[in-house]
mmCIF file of all heavy atoms in Angstrom:
data_model
loop_
_atom_site.group_PDB
_atom_site.id
_atom_site.type_symbol
_atom_site.label_atom_id
_atom_site.label_comp_id
_atom_site.label_asym_id
_atom_site.label_seq_id
_atom_site.Cartn_x
_atom_site.Cartn_y
_atom_site.Cartn_z
ATOM 1 N N THR A 1303 49.667 26.693 -21.160
ATOM 2 C CA THR A 1303 48.947 25.687 -21.832
ATOM 3 C C THR A 1303 48.989 24.458 -20.996
ATOM 4 O O THR A 1303 49.967 24.111 -20.315
ATOM 5 C CB THR A 1303 49.579 25.407 -23.163
ATOM 6 O OG1 THR A 1303 50.917 25.120 -23.033
ATOM 7 C CG2 THR A 1303 49.432 26.569 -24.093
ATOM 8 N N ASP A 1305 49.192 20.849 -21.066
ATOM 9 C CA ASP A 1305 49.586 19.688 -21.938
ATOM 10 C C ASP A 1305 49.681 18.414 -21.082
ATOM 11 O O ASP A 1305 50.354 17.520 -21.506
ATOM 12 C CB ASP A 1305 50.853 19.977 -22.718
ATOM 13 C CG ASP A 1305 51.994 20.342 -21.837
ATOM 14 O OD1 ASP A 1305 51.799 20.372 -20.613
ATOM 15 O OD2 ASP A 1305 53.014 20.789 -22.287
ATOM 16 N N GLY A 1306 49.085 18.476 -19.931
ATOM 17 C CA GLY A 1306 49.267 17.416 -18.962
ATOM 18 C C GLY A 1306 50.553 17.303 -18.258
ATOM 19 O O GLY A 1306 50.784 16.331 -17.559
ATOM 20 N N TRP A 1307 51.268 18.322 -18.300
ATOM 21 C CA TRP A 1307 52.630 18.399 -17.630
ATOM 22 C C TRP A 1307 52.574 18.117 -16.131
ATOM 23 O O TRP A 1307 53.512 17.461 -15.527
ATOM 24 C CB TRP A 1307 53.375 19.728 -17.772
ATOM 25 C CG TRP A 1307 52.603 20.883 -17.241
ATOM 26 C CD1 TRP A 1307 51.561 21.672 -17.787
ATOM 27 C CD2 TRP A 1307 52.829 21.378 -15.873
ATOM 28 N NE1 TRP A 1307 51.170 22.550 -16.892
ATOM 29 C CE2 TRP A 1307 51.900 22.362 -15.761
ATOM 30 C CE3 TRP A 1307 53.663 20.990 -14.784
ATOM 31 C CZ2 TRP A 1307 51.753 23.069 -14.454
ATOM 32 C CZ3 TRP A 1307 53.525 21.766 -13.566
ATOM 33 C CH2 TRP A 1307 52.568 22.792 -13.403
ATOM 34 N N TRP A 1308 51.520 18.471 -15.461
ATOM 35 C CA TRP A 1308 51.248 18.482 -14.090
ATOM 36 C C TRP A 1308 51.057 17.007 -13.625
ATOM 37 O O TRP A 1308 51.063 16.732 -12.411
ATOM 38 C CB TRP A 1308 50.047 19.275 -13.604
ATOM 39 C CG TRP A 1308 48.905 19.114 -14.619
ATOM 40 C CD1 TRP A 1308 48.678 19.776 -15.722
ATOM 41 C CD2 TRP A 1308 47.724 18.246 -14.420
ATOM 42 N NE1 TRP A 1308 47.501 19.372 -16.306
ATOM 43 C CE2 TRP A 1308 46.916 18.427 -15.533
ATOM 44 C CE3 TRP A 1308 47.376 17.382 -13.345
ATOM 45 C CZ2 TRP A 1308 45.709 17.780 -15.591
ATOM 46 C CZ3 TRP A 1308 46.278 16.653 -13.575
ATOM 47 C CH2 TRP A 1308 45.363 16.820 -14.619
ATOM 48 N N ARG A 1309 50.722 16.093 -14.561
ATOM 49 C CA ARG A 1309 50.424 14.678 -14.127
ATOM 50 C C ARG A 1309 51.687 13.976 -13.615
ATOM 51 O O ARG A 1309 51.600 13.048 -12.848
ATOM 52 C CB ARG A 1309 49.778 13.917 -15.287
ATOM 53 C CG ARG A 1309 48.386 14.378 -15.561
ATOM 54 C CD ARG A 1309 47.817 13.556 -16.656
ATOM 55 N NE ARG A 1309 46.207 13.872 -16.611
ATOM 56 C CZ ARG A 1309 45.318 13.285 -15.877
ATOM 57 N NH1 ARG A 1309 45.761 12.248 -15.106
ATOM 58 N NH2 ARG A 1309 44.080 13.538 -15.967
ATOM 59 N N SER A 1310 52.826 14.399 -14.039
ATOM 60 C CA SER A 1310 54.006 13.665 -13.648
ATOM 61 C C SER A 1310 55.208 14.640 -13.303
ATOM 62 O O SER A 1310 56.306 14.366 -13.322
ATOM 63 C CB SER A 1310 54.603 12.711 -14.727
ATOM 64 O OG SER A 1310 54.825 13.423 -15.890
ATOM 65 N N ALA A 1311 54.762 15.908 -12.913
ATOM 66 C CA ALA A 1311 55.817 16.909 -12.724
ATOM 67 C C ALA A 1311 56.548 16.770 -11.366
ATOM 68 O O ALA A 1311 56.073 16.120 -10.420
ATOM 69 C CB ALA A 1311 55.036 18.287 -12.721
ATOM 70 N N ALA A 1349 58.375 22.864 -12.226
ATOM 71 C CA ALA A 1349 57.642 24.033 -11.753
ATOM 72 C C ALA A 1349 58.056 24.487 -10.382
ATOM 73 O O ALA A 1349 58.619 23.644 -9.671
ATOM 74 C CB ALA A 1349 56.096 23.766 -11.764
ATOM 75 N N ARG A 1396 57.676 26.228 -14.851
ATOM 76 C CA ARG A 1396 56.454 26.953 -14.630
ATOM 77 C C ARG A 1396 56.345 27.527 -13.187
ATOM 78 O O ARG A 1396 56.981 27.123 -12.356
ATOM 79 C CB ARG A 1396 55.202 26.077 -14.866
ATOM 80 C CG ARG A 1396 55.173 25.709 -16.402
ATOM 81 C CD ARG A 1396 54.137 24.569 -16.569
ATOM 82 N NE ARG A 1396 53.818 24.240 -18.041
ATOM 83 C CZ ARG A 1396 54.489 23.387 -18.682
ATOM 84 N NH1 ARG A 1396 55.542 22.840 -18.301
ATOM 85 N NH2 ARG A 1396 54.130 23.175 -19.995
ATOM 86 N N ALA A 1496 51.044 29.367 -14.169
ATOM 87 C CA ALA A 1496 50.559 28.124 -14.722
ATOM 88 C C ALA A 1496 49.626 27.275 -13.804
ATOM 89 O O ALA A 1496 49.014 26.394 -14.206
ATOM 90 C CB ALA A 1496 51.671 27.240 -15.082
ATOM 91 N N VAL A 1547 46.194 25.063 -13.865
ATOM 92 C CA VAL A 1547 45.874 23.851 -13.060
ATOM 93 C C VAL A 1547 45.812 24.302 -11.534
ATOM 94 O O VAL A 1547 46.336 25.296 -11.113
ATOM 95 C CB VAL A 1547 46.941 22.718 -13.181
ATOM 96 C CG1 VAL A 1547 46.966 22.243 -14.718
ATOM 97 C CG2 VAL A 1547 48.331 23.144 -12.731
#
Side-chain angles (χ1 to χ4, degrees):
T1303 56
D1305 55 6
W1307 65 271
W1308 45 277
R1309 289 186 167 272
S1310 59
R1396 294 170 169 88
V1547 299

